[in-house]
Amino acid sequence: MSEDFSFDELLNKSFAAFTEAENQVGQCNVLVIGKTGVGKSTLINAVFRDRLAETGVGRPITQGIRQYTKPNCPITVYDTPGLELNAEQIKIVQLNVAKLIDDQRLLHPAEHIHVIWYCINHGAKRIEPLEEIWLKEIEIKDVPVILVLTQTASKKPSEFFKELEHLNLPVSQIIPVLAQPEEIDDDYTVKAHSLDRLVDYTFQLLPEVAKKAFVKEQIASISLKANMAFKYVTGYVAGSAIVGATPIPFADAPILVTVQTAMIANITVIFGLPFDKGFISAMFSTITGASGMTAVGRSIVANLLKMIPGAGSVVGGAIAGATAATLTLALGLAYIELLKAYIKAQINGEKISLPTLTKMFIELYNDYLQSGLKTLKEEKQTPPNSPPKNINID
């Protein structure tokens, strides 16, 4: 018989799993190039958590390059502030950028420059010849470049965008964005747009060592977080099936909960959230029906099994592989949906109470079990002229 564990031990296991997941996040380094006034800081702060590019915080590392990062943040942004495209200054910055890329390449892959955002103000409606030359020189360095057209009010392709496409520049993508809402007059404000496209394309270009760090820290695409989390869930579901195949009467329940705890920890990290002992405690207490109890592993599995129609009798025997996989899949999908709602509320400046979160979690878990759905739910699009739907907050 395998040993079970107490509620306190479960919380310790959860924290240990979270710490391990945090340590496996990796590192992502983004180089941002562009003139003064194109909106680089606004772009960086709109994409990443914790406002990385606060004014004056960047540490100068060479003439023309500043480094932005924060403690315990796996993102480093290198910026070229004050870049005015006269021949003398651009040559200095070009040399320093080339040296930065080459020097970083000599280090561990986690220290490389992984992607470049080259920013041009859409309103300028032109790309300088020196910029075209520089882009071609950067191409030789073999670092993917996205040309970002900042301060683009319309989502429709402009004539400038079409002209840039026809130039066949050595860039992976050309993406027009508006990083923050732009007030046209008292009655009309253009909403920020296309940051999710920038994030999605950037993710596709990143090496594996940088992907998880980027997804964790970016806040522009919740669906990107959810999709990566779902990939982790499928891995843990396969592990649960193997655990559940052990023909020992209910002895594998604590092992199954340990697998599920690691899954929840990784999902939490991917969504960029800290370890919240209060929430984890409330979530598992809701499942078990009590806190501070012993034999928590078996109690959690027993109560989760009760939610599967006709599965109550399984408790007395062995947990089948398919049943263990079903439990883990529903648990993982419900937790992802919960964090999606939680992050959306945060972005909107709202707060969902802990009792509401735990209630939502159980409802989502039941819904996945009853429906048999094995993937994340489709995002519902809000009709163009409809007001945004508010999240129910206690």
Side-chain angles (χ1 to χ4, degrees):
M1 298 284 287
S2 65
E3 294 184 2
D4 212 326
F5 41 78
S6 69
F7 201 85
D8 286 341
E9 288 170 331
L10 174 63
L11 293 181
N12 290 336
K13 284 178 180 288
S14 297
F15 180 70
F18 178 85
T19 302
E20 182 179 356
E22 281 267 75
N23 291 336
Q24 295 175 351
V25 161
Q27 174 70 30
C28 180
N29 306 306
V30 182
L31 173 61
V32 184
I33 299 174
K35 292 182 183 179
T36 300
V38 300
K40 291 176 294 175
S41 294
T42 301
L43 177 69
I44 294 166
N45 289 334
V47 169
F48 297 113
R49 297 189 305 140
D50 299 327
R51 296 184 63 81
L52 272 177
E54 294 287 5
T55 303
V57 174
R59 180 174 70 88
I61 57 171
T62 68
Q63 183 179 350
I65 300 178
R66 284 182 176 269
Q67 180 190 69
Y68 291 90
T69 190
K70 289 189 176 182
N72 302 316
C73 175
I75 297 289
T76 298
V77 174
Y78 295 91
D79 182 26
T80 56
L83 178 62
E84 301 303 334
L85 294 179
N86 61 66
E88 182 180 352
Q89 184 175 13
I90 194 172
K91 192 62 181 175
I92 293 172
V93 177
Q94 279 180 323
L95 290 172
N96 285 331
V97 165
K99 186 176 185 303
L100 173 67
I101 293 172
D102 289 339
D103 288 349
Q104 300 292 84
R105 189 177 281 126
L106 296 174
L107 305 175
H108 187 275
E111 303 300 324
H112 294 181
I113 299 300
H114 298 126
V115 69
I116 296 172
W117 291 346
Y118 198 109
C119 301
I120 296 177
N121 188 329
H122 182 271
K125 290 184 170 52
R126 65 171 301 191
I127 181 170
E128 305 281 352
L130 282 173
E131 291 181 298
E132 290 190 56
I133 294 170
W134 194 3
L135 285 170
K136 291 175 182 177
E137 290 180 357
I138 291 174
E139 182 184 25
I140 299 172
K141 298 296 182 182
D142 199 29
V143 180
V145 179
I146 294 177
L147 185 60
V148 185
L149 301 185
T150 60
Q151 302 177 39
T152 306
S154 175
K155 291 183 181 181
K156 295 181 179 179
S158 65
E159 290 303 315
F160 180 46
F161 174 80
K162 294 174 183 176
E163 288 173 14
L164 290 173
E165 282 194 315
H166 290 149
L167 289 176
N168 291 319
L169 297 168
V171 298
S172 299
Q173 293 287 339
I174 303 173
I175 303 181
V177 304
L178 185 63
Q180 64 181 12
E182 181 178 331
E183 185 176 328
I184 304 301
D185 54 40
D186 291 341
D187 298 320
Y188 183 66
T189 298
V190 179
K191 294 180 181 179
H193 64 81
S194 301
L195 288 172
D196 55 343
R197 288 189 63 227
L198 173 61
V199 163
D200 288 340
Y201 278 119
T202 300
F203 174 78
Q204 293 173 28
L205 296 172
L206 291 174
E208 285 302 318
V209 72
K211 284 182 180 290
K212 192 172 182 181
F214 180 76
V215 173
K216 173 181 182 289
E217 293 299 320
Q218 66 81 27
I219 55 173
S221 176
I222 297 175
S223 63
L224 185 60
K225 290 180 181 289
N227 290 336
M228 173 172 274
F230 179 63
K231 290 181 180 179
Y232 272 81
V233 168
T234 56
Y236 283 106
V237 167
S240 296
I242 295 172
V243 171
T246 307
I248 303 173
F250 208 52
D252 46 5
I255 303 174
L256 181 58
V257 171
T258 300
V259 171
Q260 294 169 343
T261 298
M263 176 184 69
I264 288 172
N266 272 280
I267 294 172
T268 305
V269 168
I270 289 167
F271 273 84
L273 297 173
F275 179 79
D276 189 332
K277 186 175 181 179
F279 173 65
I280 296 296
S281 176
M283 184 175 67
F284 283 119
S285 292
T286 301
I287 296 172
T288 60
S291 61
M293 60 187 296
T294 59
V296 168
R298 296 179 196 179
S299 178
I300 287 174
V301 174
N303 282 305
L304 291 177
L305 282 167
K306 289 176 184 177
M307 299 179 194
I308 301 178
S313 59
V314 178
V315 175
I319 304 172
T323 303
T326 297
L327 292 177
T328 304
L329 179 61
L331 201 65
L333 292 172
Y335 192 60
I336 291 173
E337 294 292 350
L338 182 74
L339 294 194
K340 283 168 61 178
Y342 180 75
I343 292 291
K344 286 177 183 177
Q346 274 193 334
I347 292 172
N348 293 332
E350 301 167 340
K351 185 177 180 181
I352 306 179
S353 70
L354 189 54
T356 301
L357 284 170
T358 53
K359 181 182 177 183
M360 286 171 61
F361 178 68
I362 294 299
E363 289 176 349
L364 286 164
Y365 176 77
N366 269 314
D367 185 43
Y368 271 109
L369 283 181
Q370 300 297 328
S371 66
L373 190 63
K374 299 183 184 299
T375 59
L376 292 167
K377 298 177 180 178
E378 293 288 335
E379 291 287 339
K380 293 181 179 179
Q381 300 296 323
T382 304
N385 298 319
S386 299
K389 187 175 181 180
N390 292 324
I391 297 173
N392 182 26
I393 300 173
D394 287 349

